[in-house]
Amino acid sequence: METLVIVVAAEGWDLQAVAHTLRTSHQVFLTEGRYLEVSQATSSAYVCVMDPWEEGLFEDWPEELIPKGHFAAFSIDYRNPALMESIVREISAKANVAVDTNFGDVMSGGAFVARVDRSEPRWEWWHWPRDLNDSSS
């Protein structure tokens, strides 16, 4: 599994708010009040609240994307990038969001969605960029 982090810069965001936001287009199960299982078709992702200060999340972030007021941070484990894209799309439509792909990209949720939508060839954000000089591919 891979991990993506979403930071919602708004008050009142918790697992219940995420579940409510995603429920219209995904199957959502709150498990033991500790994490969400979010499913669509044959794929699932797992959402949990994280402490970005304890995890050192903001150490490499651009200053303008670090929230200044109330916020919540969610770590999302996934296998299917298309499911992750739909989760980011849904949450970004409801709140000011920053996304850390864990592969060198940190951007607003809107920029993430726009880049996914316009990329030709497809932007493969879910892995490190391939070295163009790598002859092993």
Side-chain angles (χ1 to χ4, degrees), residues 3-4 14 36-37 49 60 67 71 80 90 92 96 105 136:
T3 302
L4 179 138
D14 56 13
L36 292 176
E37 180 179 350
V49 175
D60 298 325
F71 71 92
N80 184 328
E90 296 283 329
S92 295
N96 184 17
D105 290 303
S136 65

Side-chain angles (χ1 to χ4, degrees), residues 1 5 17 35 44 47 55 59 70 73 85 91 97 106 110-111 113 130 132 135:
M1 280 202 157
V5 174
Y35 68 92
S44 294
V47 182
E55 301 288 331
E59 290 174 4
H70 294 283
E85 290 168 4
I91 295 173
V97 169
V106 177
V113 169
R130 290 184 177 85
L132 296 178
S135 59

Side-chain angles (χ1 to χ4, degrees), residues 1 6 22 25-27 37-47 76-90 112 122 125:
M1 280 202 157
I6 295 179
L22 298 176
S25 56
H26 301 80
Q27 292 179 330
E37 180 179 350
V38 181
S39 301
Q40 195 175 48
T42 61
S43 184
S44 294
Y46 303 91
V47 182
I76 307 174
D77 292 334
Y78 67 94
R79 282 199 172 94
N80 184 328
L83 173 61
M84 194 67 254
E85 290 168 4
S86 72
I87 291 170
V88 172
R89 187 180 305 277
E90 296 283 329
F112 178 92
R122 180 155 168 67
W125 57 266

